[in-house]
Amino acid sequence: MNIIAIMETHGVFYKEGPLRELADALRQQNFQLIFPGSSADLLKLLEHNPRICGVVFDWDDYGLELCPEINQLNEHLPLYAFINTHSTLDVSTNEMRMALCFFEYTLGVAHDIAQRIVQYTDEYLDAITPPFTKALFTYVKEGKYTFCTPGHMGGTAYQKSPVGCLFYDFFGENTLKADVSISVTELGSLLDHSGPHLEAEEYIARTFGAEQSYMVTNGTSTSNKIVGMYAAPAGSTVLVDRNCHKSLTHLLMMSDIVPLWLKPTRNALGILGGIPQSQFSHESIEAKVALTPGASWPVHAVITNSTYDGLLYNTNWIKQTLDVPSIHFDSAWVPYTQFHPIYNGKSGMSGERVPGKVFFETQSTHKMLAALSQASLIHIKGDYDEETFNEAYMMHTSTSPSYPLVASIETAAAMLRGNPGRRLINRSVERALHFRKEIKRLREEADGWFFDIWQPEDIDEADCWPIEPGEDWHGFRDACHAHMYLDPVKVTILTPGMDQQGTMASEGIPAALVARFLDERGVVVEKTGPYNLLFLFSIGIDKTRAMSLLRGLMEFKRAYDLNLRVRNILPDLYAEAPDFYRNMRIQTLAQGIHDLIQQHELPRLMLNAFDTLPEMALTPHQMYQQQLRGNVETVEIEKLAGRVSANMILPYPPGVPVVMPGERITDASRGVLDFLLMLCSIGKHYPGFETDIHGARLGEDGIYRVRVLKE
């Protein structure tokens, strides 16, 4: 970590001696030194090497120009300016707020200066390390002997076994020493919100613009249940986004509450749209209450923001309009919206309080930020009962939480603070924008077909692009003005075969085929639709990864145009069914799946299948109770119509339920079943392209079966 950049002095004799002495003294203190030749070189190094912990430079040569530019990159970085007796200390008020220290060009004092740089470096590292992480680091360095859990005792137990040694060597000493017991009092308690854990929550709340934040160590699936358990008492009614994550369906199965569905749109490509503004009106909710047995005016609402495909709401409008006292924004996929101006007014914690309302926002810190898997946050703005909320929190939180996981949540927040954090998110946005432009450029230059990208025509600058009425590019029939916006870091690539309005071409390349090709070359797609592929440009995506994706897409085009054999370009797919794919070529496979999709009239299914929801015969909670009593049976999925589904049924992708527990598919909602049968048909005809359908079990005979309420 300890790298010091020393700017060159352009051959001035009386300056070179003291700087050489200082360089030798810093090496004795175990600093690594680098010597940029210019301000531009230094700024590039600082931008791409966050391990640099200080800059030494000549005040007369660099000071007035260099300091503000470094400050824009990292306002906390220690700066060491050398001056002589003739230097003019023209220091502005802004520069006085920097970590700026002055030294004179004098021989024989290098050791003292190096000691001060060591001190300032330690202070810098201490200042940027968040409170819980700092306490955990300190505890590990102290090396205490404990006689409590966990049983591996800081990794000691692993070293008593051959396979344990393999595990120890893979994960490393500090990881295992940081896996400590809740009995370590100096680290406080995650459940009691005390000590460094409490400091971490306060630190995170300030970072994300919340009034209170909670760290959750088993994912946003759990965060969603915690909020719901607190906000919706038994017997109450809740508004739920129909495109909700399955964790919210599980909440409905756990809690005896009545759901009213907020029904979003989809376009012909299967891209999940938002909930239209009309669904939020008092009249619309009143009508839902009147049509739903046992329903009353809702006490709570859950909205998925953003959608899986990267559409963000105008959350300020929703907060002011939606007439419920408690609103939960499930923002699992967008924990970064507080840190770039293009997201203003589009997040759960944006804006001020609204009298009489409380807002919750849940975020998967691990999905798009730098935290370990299962890291999640709950943010709150507004008045709530802290003690009752904590009971719901403890219902779902282990009494033995992972402390390395807690530290990763806090560190992810720390990475977003100040200028370095804003630069991190801005770089992610800019990289996604550059990639989008590259796809467009390659499409214009391509010989024949090439991939397209789902976005407006003109995207010269980074922005969240509005889904406006009357525009063809997005394909949503009933878009609302200033309501939904496309997040630039969620990049959707389109394959040939169907346009946004649902017009099918005679030839096509289903996206699942491209996804298989990329996967066999080490590029994993986040989500695959019929003719679209979703890629997430998180802060961890660098130019190398972006170029690998571009290269993979170009390699697919080359292989497709040459019409190579499946066994040569998709060896893993060939290995799954060698007899079926023995002589098949890639264009034959693509066209076969495309023809099958046409036969099932996919555009009609996508636009109409979800217009009419299945009928709620039982609430999800009531249906689960029937399951517990064994009052269920199994039928082939083709026979699902007219029966009450025991489980939620959701195909991956996109991983949102299409049938809820307790719902019955009627003639009016038959399109949902037709959609599921189409997915089943593709896998039946083409091995390796089976759809993962949660709630339906695929048997060895190739038939999907589902559980239903006994008649």
Side-chain angles (χ1 to χ4, degrees), residues 549-615:
L549 173 55
L550 276 176
R551 185 166 55 250
L553 295 173
M554 294 176 71
E555 287 176 1
F556 179 87
K557 173 180 167 52
R558 190 177 305 115
Y560 182 86
D561 289 347
L562 291 172
N563 200 18
L564 299 179
R565 293 183 185 275
V566 170
R567 66 184 181 189
N568 293 330
I569 62 172
L570 294 170
D572 291 349
L573 177 64
Y574 173 76
E576 291 184 36
D579 291 338
F580 183 83
Y581 289 116
R582 190 170 306 281
N583 297 311
M584 189 178 291
R585 294 182 179 273
I586 188 68
Q587 290 184 14
T588 303
L589 175 57
Q591 191 62 32
I593 300 176
H594 179 69
D595 289 344
L596 196 59
I597 290 172
Q598 280 188 306
Q599 290 170 23
H600 283 273
E601 300 182 80
L602 174 70
R604 179 186 61 81
L605 289 181
M606 285 297 185
L607 290 171
N608 301 326
F610 310 101
D611 278 353
T612 302
L613 299 179
E615 175 187 273

Side-chain angles (χ1 to χ4, degrees), residues 350-366:
S350 66
E352 302 300 322
R353 278 185 168 211
V354 175
K357 295 184 180 181
V358 58
F359 305 122
F360 300 90
E361 185 168 36
T362 52
Q363 298 174 342
S364 291
T365 327
H366 66 96

Side-chain angles (χ1 to χ4, degrees), residues 106-307:
T106 307
L107 293 170
V109 297
H111 177 75
D112 292 337
I113 294 175
Q115 285 294 110
R116 292 182 68 182
I117 290 177
V118 168
Q119 175 191 341
Y120 295 144
T121 300
D122 289 343
E123 291 175 358
Y124 165 66
L125 299 179
D126 184 74
I128 64 172
T129 306
F132 176 81
T133 304
K134 186 186 304 180
L136 185 61
F137 286 0
T138 301
Y139 175 83
V140 170
K141 289 174 184 176
E142 288 174 349
K144 292 182 178 180
Y145 289 104
T146 63
F147 289 83
C148 51
T149 61
H152 63 73
M153 293 295 162
T156 303
Y158 289 114
Q159 299 179 77
K160 299 178 182 294
S161 157
V163 68
C165 288
L166 293 175
F167 186 89
Y168 182 93
D169 292 343
F170 182 84
F171 282 101
E173 178 182 3
N174 281 340
T175 299
L176 297 170
K177 286 184 175 179
D179 184 30
V180 299
S181 170
I182 198 169
S183 302
V184 178
T185 56
E186 59 259 49
L187 295 178
S189 169
L190 182 66
L191 297 178
D192 295 338
H193 312 285
S194 60
H197 280 94
L198 174 61
E199 294 176 48
E201 289 174 342
E202 292 171 343
Y203 177 94
I204 289 167
R206 291 193 300 272
T207 302
F208 284 87
E211 294 174 8
Q212 181 67 51
S213 294
Y214 292 84
M215 296 181 289
V216 179
T217 57
N218 39 346
T220 301
S221 294
T222 294
S223 294
N224 288 343
K225 294 168 195 167
I226 291 170
V227 173
M229 290 289 283
Y230 166 78
S236 64
T237 299
V238 177
L239 283 168
V240 185
D241 187 339
R242 184 69 185 197
N243 281 348
C244 65
H245 185 258
K246 65 181 182 180
S247 59
L248 289 157
T249 308
H250 286 139
L251 167 70
L252 297 173
M253 294 166 70
M254 295 164 61
S255 296
D256 187 10
I257 53 182
V258 179
L260 300 179
W261 303 113
L262 293 167
K263 192 173 68 174
T265 58
R266 293 188 185 216
N267 66 10
L269 291 166
I271 293 174
L272 305 177
I275 303 161
Q277 287 181 336
S278 60
Q279 291 271 307
F280 295 103
S281 70
H282 193 281
E283 293 75 18
S284 174
I285 298 170
E286 206 168 45
K288 294 178 192 293
V289 171
L291 291 171
T292 306
S296 56
W297 192 261
V299 299
H300 181 61
V302 185
I303 299 158
T304 307
N305 185 56
S306 75
T307 67

Side-chain angles (χ1 to χ4, degrees), residues 1 72 140 373 624 648:
M1 180 72 184
Q72 286 298 311
V140 170
S373 291
Y624 183 61
M648 65 174 138

Side-chain angles (χ1 to χ4, degrees), residues 653-667:
V656 296
V658 294
V659 180
M660 296 289 179
E663 287 188 338
R664 178 189 290 113
I665 293 179
T666 62
D667 289 342

